[in-house]
Amino acid sequence: AEEIWNYCNDKLQNNPDFSARGLVAHSNVTALATTDDPLDTLEWHEALAADDSFKTKVYPAWRPDKAIVIANDIFPEYISKLSAVAGVAISSFKDVCSALAVRMDHFDKHGCRASDHGINGVTYAPATTEELDAILAKRLAGNSLSQKEIDQYEYNILVFLGGEYHKRNWVFEIHIGAGRNANDRMFAELGPDTGYDYIHPHS
């Protein structure tokens, strides 16, 4: 077993054919998509697009979960970061939508053609503009929401996003019932949604 371990590590460290790029090239991958948060600069996509030595096309995929799951502890801080990156002051539901649209335009210019959503489900929960603004203000102030308020925000933001995807001819991809962040050690080291997911037994 140790001989195999050492042999494989030597290949990975010293043979260009076994680098990440080498493995992609030898697998005849013509295009691949990464998973990217609306806050991402996409600078590495720009670098790859300008690199003629790497023939595989690499495109971003839009993953806006942190702007959707309003009950998450990080939501208020995330909306503040979204505001800064998009250059849109956010104090209403419409502002959140405007900021996300700005970032979608940025992704679209970098070749994005697909969204990627990890959600447990969607409950039909229409709401007025006034209700949505009140829900957002309550959450940004650090207060907890009722299940109805959570459902109203998440349903309406998904409806908005679906319309925007249609305008841009993007795929609306949904992962329903995924268990997240199963590895506590890697969650502490890397944060949420970094690849340690599984099919939830209740899905």
Side-chain angles (χ1 to χ4, degrees):
E2 184 176 353
E3 182 180 352
I4 295 171
W5 173 268
N6 291 333
Y7 175 83
C8 291
N9 274 305
D10 179 66
K11 288 285 188 183
L12 291 170
Q13 293 170 15
N14 300 310
N15 188 330
D17 289 343
F18 287 85
S19 67
R21 287 191 177 199
L23 290 170
V24 168
H26 285 291
S27 299
N28 297 317
V29 176
T30 57
L32 57 85
T34 59
T35 300
D36 304 276
D37 188 274
L39 304 184
D40 290 347
T41 63
L42 306 182
E43 60 189 285
W44 295 111
H45 288 83
E46 293 178 2
L48 283 169
D51 186 350
D52 293 334
S53 69
F54 190 55
K55 303 304 181 186
T56 301
K57 301 297 184 184
V58 182
Y59 302 107
W62 168 264
R63 183 69 178 267
D65 293 3
K66 293 183 180 73
I68 296 171
V69 186
I70 194 170
N72 276 355
D73 291 341
I74 65 167
F75 181 82
E77 179 185 0
Y78 183 83
I79 293 300
S80 177
K81 291 179 179 177
L82 175 64
S83 173
V85 170
V88 175
I90 296 178
S91 61
S92 69
F93 181 80
K94 182 179 178 181
D95 295 335
V96 175
C97 295
S98 296
L100 289 171
V102 168
R103 297 308 297 163
M104 278 186 266
D105 288 342
H106 179 68
F107 272 59
D108 197 73
K109 289 174 184 174
H110 286 78
C112 179
R113 297 296 179 267
S115 65
D116 183 3
H117 297 264
I119 56 179
N120 292 325
V122 182
T123 299
Y124 177 71
T128 66
T129 300
E130 291 75 16
E131 287 174 320
L132 292 168
D133 288 348
I135 291 167
L136 181 67
K138 182 178 177 181
R139 187 69 192 95
L140 293 182
N143 298 312
S144 298
L145 302 176
S146 69
Q147 188 58 53
K148 178 183 177 182
E149 290 170 326
I150 292 169
D151 291 342
Q152 286 177 313
Y153 175 85
E154 293 184 357
Y155 169 76
N156 284 278
I157 200 76
L158 283 167
V159 169
F160 162 76
L161 289 169
E164 292 297 310
Y165 302 155
H166 178 70
K167 280 193 238 179
R168 293 170 173 79
N169 199 28
W170 286 12
V171 173
F172 193 161
E173 181 180 2
I174 303 174
H175 295 132
I176 295 178
R180 301 290 175 194
N181 311 312
N183 187 316
D184 292 341
R185 181 171 62 86
M186 297 311 295
F187 178 83
E189 184 175 334
L190 299 175
D193 304 322
T194 49
Y196 300 91
D197 302 336
Y198 59 99
I199 299 172
H200 200 284
H202 300 299
S203 62

